[in-house]
């Protein structure tokens, strides 16, 4: 089986015309049809409120009340006595899922590769920590685990032993029925070697237990936390022509995280927030992406992530706004979808 080089893969992503070439290569793994997109919330959104003003029970109740089906959890933040929660707490977690008719969507864990001053952990040591999280994720009912494998920049990515660790972890992922989904930020990832590195490994191993978590979001055209790198991401997302280069990757995207900033926008100097109505004046990128997700058969979650000022109830208000917008866009996309 031919494996795409970095140059070939990036050329494929450069435009819709070359997408078919990548699609034929990736077709070596034939994913099953995926009928319905679901909405969820990452509990990271409640950072600043969690513990001081609300509890895990309150966060899940709030997410369920706005229509979230999936709950994305951060291991060290939300699991008491992590990584060894007591059986009573595990049962309480499952009880919350039943009570609110929600499902565990994605388990986020850290790599913790700098636990000692002498240097980073070896791949075997990192694997041990990952297996511990995979076992815990399985106890909590998660099917997708996001390991932190250094995708923030190409330099950080290449410095890690992720490939060796991934290959060692895949047999255990199959055993635990867990899918590993390292994170790619779509504002920078499609221009870095991280995308084709993961893609090549998926093709080489023919695995169904390794995929991608794609993180993106609606950003103001004037300011952004992502600063200069956001421009390329916005251009990719709001252009229907360029967005079609996403299609070859869709069978391998296991989880989507939508980062929305609502009417609050982070100034580039990183010092303060301002209130603005700019989001009423530009096209939300998901209006372009959702039809592509349907076309590609995606049936996973879009997990809303609020990242803004940490005042009481602000996360809840903005997540509710996000869910209303996403629900409308999903309904519109389903209605406009041509029937077979």
């Amino acid at each position: 089986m031919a494996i795409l080089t970095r140059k070939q893969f990036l050329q494929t992503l450069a435009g819709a015309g070359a997408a078919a070439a990548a699609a034929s290569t990736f077709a070596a793994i034939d994913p099953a049809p995926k009928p319905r997109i679901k909405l969820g919330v990452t509990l990271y959104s409640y950072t600043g409120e969690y513990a001081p003003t609300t509890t895990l029970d309150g966060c899940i109740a709030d997410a369920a009340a706005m229509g979230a089906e999936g709950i994305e959890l951060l291991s060290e933040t939300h699991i008491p006595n992590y990584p060894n929660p007591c059986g009573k707490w595990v049962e309480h977690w499952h009880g919350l899922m039943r009570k609110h008719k929600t499902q565990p969507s994605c388990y986020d864990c850290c790599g913790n590769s700098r636990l000692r001053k002498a240097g980073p952990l070896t791949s075997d040591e990192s694997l041990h920590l990952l297996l511990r999280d995979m076992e815990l994720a399985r106890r909590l009912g998660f099917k997708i685990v996001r390991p932190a494998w250094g995708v923030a920049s190409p330099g950080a990515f290449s410095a890690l032993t992720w490939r060796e660790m991934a290959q060692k972890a895949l047999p255990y992922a199959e055993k635990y029925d867990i899918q590993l989904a390292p994170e790619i930020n779509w504002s920078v990832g499609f221009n870095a070697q991280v995308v084709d590195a993961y893609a090549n490994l998926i093709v080489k191993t023919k695995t169904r237990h390794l995929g991608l978590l794609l993180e993106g979001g609606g950003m103001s055209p004037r300011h952004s936390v992502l600063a200069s790198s956001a421009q390329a991401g916005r251009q990719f997302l709001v252009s229907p022509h360029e967005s079609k280069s996403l299609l070859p990757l869709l069978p391998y995207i296991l989880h989507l995280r939508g980062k929305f900033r609502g009417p609050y926008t982070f100034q580039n100097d990183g010092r303060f927030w301002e209130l603005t109505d700019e989001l009423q004046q530009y096209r939300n990128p998901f209006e372009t992406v959702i039809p592509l997700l349907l076309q590609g058969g995606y049936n996973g979650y879009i997990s809303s992530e609020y990242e803004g000022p940490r005042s009481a109830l602000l996360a809840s208000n903005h997540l509710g706004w996000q869910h209303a917008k996403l629900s409308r866009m999903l309904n519109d996309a389903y209605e406009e979808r041509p029937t077979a």
Side-chain angles (χ1 to χ4, degrees):
M1 177 183 295
I3 299 177
L4 294 177
T5 64
R6 178 175 186 272
K7 181 178 180 181
Q8 291 170 331
F9 196 81
L10 292 179
Q11 287 175 341
T12 298
L13 292 177
S24 62
T25 300
F26 284 108
I29 308 173
D30 186 19
K34 301 177 175 182
R36 192 175 75 88
I37 297 172
K38 301 175 284 290
L39 298 182
V41 161
T42 170
L43 297 186
Y44 168 78
S45 303
Y46 296 94
T47 300
E49 298 179 42
Y50 178 71
T53 60
T54 190
T55 62
L56 180 69
D57 302 45
C59 292
I60 295 174
D62 186 62
M66 66 185 67
E69 297 180 62
I71 302 296
E72 184 176 347
L73 173 145
L74 280 68
S75 58
E76 294 177 323
T77 301
H78 301 117
I79 301 176
N81 198 37
Y82 169 84
N84 300 303
C86 66
K88 184 177 181 180
W89 183 87
V90 172
E91 180 52 39
H92 178 66
W93 162 263
H94 287 294
L96 288 173
M97 296 295 101
R98 293 190 296 268
K99 177 181 178 180
H100 297 291
K101 296 181 173 58
T102 51
Q103 296 291 327
S105 63
C106 182
Y107 176 101
D108 298 332
C109 58
C110 297
N112 292 325
S113 61
R114 297 285 184 176
L115 293 178
R116 61 188 179 207
K117 294 182 179 180
L121 301 182
T122 66
S123 60
D124 284 337
E125 291 170 327
S126 296
L127 175 65
H128 172 75
L129 298 180
L130 178 59
L131 294 183
R132 183 187 67 186
D133 276 300
M134 288 167 60
E135 291 174 353
L136 181 51
R138 182 179 63 165
R139 288 180 64 195
L140 299 180
F142 288 92
K143 295 291 187 180
I144 295 175
V145 170
R146 186 231 64 186
W149 281 347
V151 300
S153 68
F157 177 81
S158 60
L160 300 180
T161 56
W162 72 270
R163 184 179 283 102
E164 181 183 357
M165 185 165 57
Q167 290 174 320
K168 290 180 178 180
L170 284 176
Y172 296 96
E174 182 175 356
K175 174 184 176 182
Y176 298 144
D177 192 23
I178 291 290
Q179 292 180 297
L180 299 174
E183 182 177 318
I184 301 291
N185 190 304
W186 63 22
S187 67
V188 295
F190 289 160
N191 294 318
Q193 70 258 35
V194 294
V195 176
D196 50 312
Y198 284 129
N200 286 339
L201 182 60
I202 293 170
V203 171
K204 180 180 179 180
T205 59
K206 300 182 181 180
T207 182
R208 294 183 182 274
H209 294 278
L210 178 64
L212 301 174
L213 184 156
L214 193 61
E215 182 188 88
M219 294 166 286
S220 160
R222 192 157 67 87
H223 300 294
S224 171
V225 171
L226 297 175
S228 60
S229 65
Q231 182 60 39
R234 284 199 303 272
Q235 186 64 37
F236 172 83
L237 289 169
V238 300
S239 167
H241 175 75
E242 295 299 329
S243 296
K244 289 183 179 179
S245 60
L246 177 65
L247 284 173
L249 289 180
L250 282 178
Y252 312 99
I253 295 175
L254 303 177
H255 190 73
L256 269 168
R257 190 183 299 135
K259 183 176 292 185
F260 297 79
R261 307 199 184 282
Y264 285 93
T265 306
F266 199 37
Q267 291 282 16
N268 282 336
D269 61 12
R271 294 180 182 177
F272 64 91
W273 294 83
E274 66 172 6
L275 185 62
T276 176
D277 60 357
E278 286 179 340
L279 287 187
Q280 306 301 320
Q281 304 172 16
Y282 87 108
R283 186 180 183 184
N284 191 298
F286 276 92
E287 293 181 2
T288 298
V289 172
I290 283 177
L292 292 174
L293 298 178
L294 295 179
Q295 182 180 343
Y298 180 75
N299 76 338
Y301 288 94
I302 299 177
S303 186
S304 292
E305 176 181 297
Y306 169 71
E307 188 172 38
R310 300 302 181 182
S311 301
L313 300 179
L314 209 50
S316 177
N317 290 339
H318 283 278
L319 288 172
W321 176 83
Q322 295 164 22
H323 270 258
K325 297 282 284 185
L326 279 174
S327 294
R328 177 187 59 78
M329 283 187 274
L330 280 171
N331 289 336
D332 290 347
Y334 279 118
E335 289 177 0
E336 295 172 2
R337 190 180 187 186
T339 57

